[in-house]
């Protein structure tokens, strides 16, 4: 949305407000609703990767039919919703974020990131707010398989670390919007020193994506409670889990041995007789 021209944004808003209704509209009707021209509607379709308006209508109709299967949980969270409604809507939004992220994730780009991280002497991870926790999760996972990785959420520490990277190292910036200044600056600094740069973002035309050598996109639609960064965090975690597993596969059997050793190191900190203790 931020990358679209103002007239195209009006078309996008009309589509988002009533996908099922737009699926039944002619191109002239949609242009009128959005106070724009048919040419702009066609340009909007191409901007979002759809060949033309007929294809857009078909995709919207299919999606609306799918979401109508569970109409009670497909909407936004409202202030008066019961906790049961909240549970259903959050579960639906998270499931949709994971499904749609997996459908559009560029596997070729992911393979290149996996290859770069697998052989990198060092990996820097940058994220702020909720994305910082995602960066920490990836750091912990990579450490478990003997990959040297550091997650930085403080902009000063991130910049000084980025300045020490070199060719062969990897820097990964995580930001849902792709406009978080601290993350963009850190990735730009890493790029200056020859590191391979990666963006994990929901917006492929964002400043963060334009800074990166490789882009891994999520597909999350946030709810009214945007500050909670709910669906976006789930989608980001899905992407980094795929990245981690790809890296682990590429460094077997070392990864398996490292996982066994790290699991053994913490086993003594579980209560004796617990289910986890018995399983491990």
């Amino acid at each position: 949305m931020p990358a679209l021209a103002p007239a195209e944004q009006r078309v996008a808003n009309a589509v988002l407000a009533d996908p099922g209704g737009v699926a039944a509209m002619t191109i002239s009707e949609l242009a009128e609703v959005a106070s724009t021209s048919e040419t702009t509607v066609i340009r909007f379709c191409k901007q979002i990767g759809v060949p033309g308006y007929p294809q857009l209508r078909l995709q919207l109709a299919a999606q609306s039919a799918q979401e109508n299967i569970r109409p009670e949980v497909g909407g936004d969270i409202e202030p008066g919703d019961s906790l049961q409604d909240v549970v259903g809507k959050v579960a639906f939004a998270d499931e949709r974020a994971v499904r749609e992220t997996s459908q559009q994730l560029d596997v070729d780009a992911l393979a290149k990131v996996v290859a770069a991280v697998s052989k990198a002497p060092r990996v820097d991870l940058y994220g702020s707010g909720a994305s910082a926790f995602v960066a920490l999760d990836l750091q912990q996972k990579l450490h478990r398989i003997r990959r040297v990785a550091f997650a930085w959420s403080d902009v000063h520490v991130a910049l000084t670390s980025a300045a020490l990277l070199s060719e062969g190292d990897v820097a990964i910036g995580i930001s849902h919007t792709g406009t978080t200044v601290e993350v963009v600056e850190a990735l730009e600094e890493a790029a200056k020193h020859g590191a391979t740069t990666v963006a994990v973002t929901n917006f492929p035309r964002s400043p963060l994506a334009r800074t990166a050598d490789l882009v891994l996109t999520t597909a999350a639609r946030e709810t009214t409670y945007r500050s909670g960064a709910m669906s976006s965090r789930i989608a980001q975690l899905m992407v980094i889990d795929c990245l981690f597993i790809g890296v682990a596969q590429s460094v077997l059997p070392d990864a398996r041995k490292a996982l066994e050793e790290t699991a053994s190191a913490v086993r003594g900190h579980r209560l004796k007789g617990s289910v986890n203790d018995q399983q491990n």
Side-chain angles (χ1 to χ4, degrees):
M1 180 78 79
L4 298 176
E8 294 167 354
Q9 289 188 19
R10 292 198 298 273
V11 178
N13 282 322
V15 172
L16 291 172
D18 186 11
V22 170
M25 292 181 186
T26 65
I27 189 171
S28 299
E29 289 170 337
L30 177 56
E32 183 177 352
V33 168
S35 302
T36 189
S37 65
E38 294 180 16
T39 302
T40 299
V41 174
I42 294 172
R43 191 163 57 242
F44 163 77
C45 292
K46 292 180 179 178
Q47 284 276 51
I48 63 171
V50 180
Y53 188 62
Q55 291 84 356
L56 177 67
R57 291 179 65 187
L58 286 171
Q59 291 189 25
L60 290 174
Q63 180 177 309
S64 296
Q66 185 180 49
E67 294 186 356
N68 284 338
I69 295 173
R70 298 169 67 191
E72 75 283 359
V73 297
D76 204 353
I77 296 173
E78 303 295 339
D81 282 346
S82 67
L83 278 177
Q84 186 62 47
D85 291 335
V86 169
V87 170
K89 289 183 176 181
V90 169
F92 179 85
D94 287 353
E95 182 273 332
R96 180 173 63 185
V98 170
R99 183 183 70 250
E100 294 182 352
T101 294
S102 69
Q103 289 170 347
Q104 58 77 58
L105 186 61
D106 187 338
V107 178
D108 289 337
L110 177 62
K112 292 176 182 177
V113 177
V114 167
V117 172
S118 297
K119 60 185 180 183
R122 172 174 163 177
V123 179
D124 259 16
L125 306 164
Y126 314 126
S128 295
S131 295
F133 295 107
V134 177
L136 282 168
D137 186 70
L138 181 54
Q139 173 195 268
Q140 185 266 344
K141 284 181 167 66
L142 291 176
H143 270 303
R144 288 284 307 271
I145 57 172
R146 253 191 282 271
R147 300 297 101 185
V148 178
F150 302 94
W152 309 114
S153 58
D154 180 278
V155 64
H156 289 259
V157 181
L159 287 170
T160 54
S161 180
L164 297 176
L165 296 180
S166 58
E167 188 174 346
D169 294 325
V170 175
I172 302 177
I174 304 172
S175 169
H176 173 70
T177 63
T179 59
T180 306
V181 174
E182 294 85 352
V183 178
V184 173
E185 287 181 347
L187 210 63
E188 288 175 341
E189 185 66 29
K192 290 179 186 177
H193 298 275
T196 299
T197 52
V198 181
V200 178
T201 181
N202 211 70
F203 298 93
R205 296 190 185 97
S206 63
L208 183 67
R210 291 196 298 269
T211 301
D213 298 316
L214 298 165
V215 180
L216 302 177
T217 51
T218 56
R221 310 182 213 178
E222 285 296 357
T223 67
T224 300
Y225 297 88
R226 172 64 189 89
S227 61
M230 296 183 287
S231 295
S232 63
R233 186 188 70 249
I234 295 297
Q236 289 172 347
L237 287 170
M238 181 263 181
V239 170
I240 69 160
D241 280 351
C242 292
L243 170 58
F244 163 70
I245 292 172
V247 173
Q249 287 178 327
S250 70
V251 295
L252 286 175
D254 184 56
R256 182 178 290 113
K257 184 174 185 294
L259 287 169
E260 291 172 353
E261 290 175 346
T262 53
S264 176
V266 299
R267 189 167 291 128
H269 288 266
R270 294 194 177 96
L271 293 174
K272 301 297 182 182
S274 66
V275 173
N276 285 335
D277 182 59
Q278 293 169 7
Q279 290 176 340
N280 292 331

